[in-house]
Amino acid sequence: MSDKKLWSGRFNEPTDQFVEAFTASVTFDQRLAPYDIQGSIAHARMLAQQKILTQAECDDIVAGLECIATQIEQGTFVWSVAQEDVHMNIEAALTAAIGETGKKLHTGRSRNDQVATDIRLWLRDEIQAVCTALQQVQSAILDIAAREADTILPGFTHLQTAQPITFGHHMLAWFEMLQRDTSRMNDCAARMNQMPLGAAALAGTTYPIDRDLTASLLNFSAPCRNSLDAVSDRDFAIEFSAAASLILLHLSRMSEELIIWSSAQFGFITLSDGFCTGSSIMPQKKNPDVPELIRGKSGRVFGHLMALLTLMKAQPLAYNKDNQEDKEPLFDTVDTLRGSLKVFAAMLPTLTCNQTAMRNAALQGFATATDLADYLVRKGLAFRDAHDVVGRVVAHCVQAGCDLADLSLEYLQGYNHLIAADVYDYLTLEGSVAARNHVGGTAPDQVRQAIAAARQSLKIRTHSD
Ligand code: ARG
């Protein structure tokens, strides 16, 4: 392939060598090649349909592009920095391969609508893959939830013991986060599924093109309605990054809990050796590197979101070269996100619970104090008064170093005469969780119902894919 620039006609001097490398994007945008070729084939077919190209020219172009696609796939295609980007590399290679006809492919098209189309095609596939990966994590979460539907541990607010909860219920909270993430990804995919091709450089084209045809060949729901917007819009990239950031944020919260729970002080869970590493100096260490790294990786994805926002801020219409800077943040976001989801889905099935440690922790910190207050309310006391009575009982227990359930009935009745022997049923951990038996509550029965509904929603999603 020649190094002659496809736009060199109006230039008298060669590009400065450093500028050539500085302005080139081929080192990273070659990732878009399969989508660039897919877009070009659809464009050529539309041109032939509209008699802008002959059928024979179209056939030559399609065959040439398919051959280039194979070379790229097999790693034999030679990329040239002199040809600047993925689009011009492929176009130049096409002309080198099929001759003069190759030069006709760019009729009625610009790299501006071409690149805007390529990224959307690429991202559309990536979003699909992200949604599948989310589903795998969710399914692993549900398996733990089902196994641990009756397992009791302390629930926290302010990281202080609050009320007993079931581990299954905790897992379902994770599930919900990812459920919203999936719907955000789907929203983003639906909104971005409009086709820029035909916008050409910015104003449209003078050829009698059929944009509906190209859009349908590429499975877009419609052509973008405004050519200036079509070539310059990167909202979809920002939206995707924001949705990706929320996924990483959720994974970082889950990771943080895994890290805390696997500490010696908590000892609630164990992760298998395959997902932990040791210390080069402290022989006893087993560090939860995978969740730590995911927690850390959230930072770079948030950074990419900020980079994209800043990139687009204050750009005048229409296309500006600034936009070339959208790719590396997007690519790294996708790689980081998919890698994190993949390792998370693989790690979760190795999680084992130490039910005794969870239970012992729930027995500390007066986790059933609210249940005692609720008990008094059911006996006729106003909640605020009940809160005060229980607060005083807890203060006594703190002093005496005992638990609520350790106090004798006579002693408890000294605080309030409404307390009867049945109070002990409400002070147990099992009684506490079983009592929260409503939609969204922590009772094992509710958890089992919620798991069934969640599994159903995953199944529906799989079938609708
Ligand atoms: N490599 C460019 C990008 O990523 C392609 C579009 C270039 N367009 C132009 N008019 N220079 O945005």
Side-chain angles (χ1 to χ4, degrees), residues 47 85 116:
L47 291 178
D85 56 25

Side-chain angles (χ1 to χ4, degrees), residues 25 29 84-85 87 110-112 115 234 319-321 323-324 326-327:
S25 53
D29 68 12
E84 200 177 315
D85 56 25
H87 324 291
S110 154
R111 277 185 296 154
N112 297 352
V115 70
R234 295 293 183 273
Y319 175 86
N320 300 285
K321 182 77 169 179
N323 288 3
Q324 184 164 291
D326 62 358
K327 285 168 206 64

Side-chain angles (χ1 to χ4, degrees), residues 319-349:
Y319 175 86
N320 300 285
K321 182 77 169 179
D322 312 40
N323 288 3
Q324 184 164 291
E325 284 291 304
D326 62 358
K327 285 168 206 64
E328 286 161 294
L330 263 182
F331 293 161
D332 189 63
T333 297
V334 162
D335 293 344
T336 307
L337 176 59
R338 288 188 60 185
S340 300
L341 287 169
K342 182 177 170 173
V343 75
F344 214 83
M347 176 180 65
L348 284 181

Side-chain angles (χ1 to χ4, degrees), residues 243-259:
S245 293
L246 276 169
I247 299 176
L248 260 301
L249 179 145
H250 289 149
L251 292 183
S252 84
R253 295 183 68 183
M254 297 169 196
S255 295
E256 174 73 1
E257 295 192 321
L258 293 175
I259 294 161

Side-chain angles (χ1 to χ4, degrees), residues 124-255:
R124 198 171 67 180
D125 275 2
E126 292 295 345
I127 289 178
Q128 272 273 311
V130 166
C131 287
T132 305
L134 279 168
Q135 201 171 338
Q136 280 156 0
V137 176
Q138 286 185 293
S139 160
I141 287 173
L142 290 183
D143 290 343
I144 303 176
R147 203 178 67 212
E148 310 292 344
D150 296 284
T151 305
I152 296 177
L153 78 162
F156 300 99
T157 59
H158 312 270
L159 204 55
Q160 307 285 321
T161 296
Q163 294 170 351
I165 55 167
T166 50
F167 198 63
H169 192 53
H170 197 112
M171 288 298 103
L172 285 168
W174 288 10
F175 179 89
E176 289 299 325
M177 297 179 198
L178 300 181
Q179 194 77 337
R180 288 192 298 278
D181 287 328
T182 305
S183 98
R184 261 186 289 271
M185 280 292 165
N186 287 330
D187 286 351
C188 173
R191 206 169 2 260
M192 72 177 225
N193 202 27
Q194 299 198 340
M195 186 200 65
L197 281 177
L202 76 165
T205 177
T206 55
Y207 302 95
I209 56 172
D210 180 351
R211 298 187 69 209
D212 289 318
L213 172 60
T214 323
S216 86
L217 290 175
L218 293 170
N219 275 323
F220 280 110
S221 47
C224 298
R225 284 184 295 266
N226 180 287
S227 64
L228 299 174
D229 183 50
V231 291
S232 59
D233 164 35
R234 295 293 183 273
D235 292 6
F236 67 89
I238 295 174
E239 245 186 281
F240 169 78
S241 296
S245 293
L246 276 169
I247 299 176
L248 260 301
L249 179 145
H250 289 149
L251 292 183
S252 84
R253 295 183 68 183
M254 297 169 196
S255 295

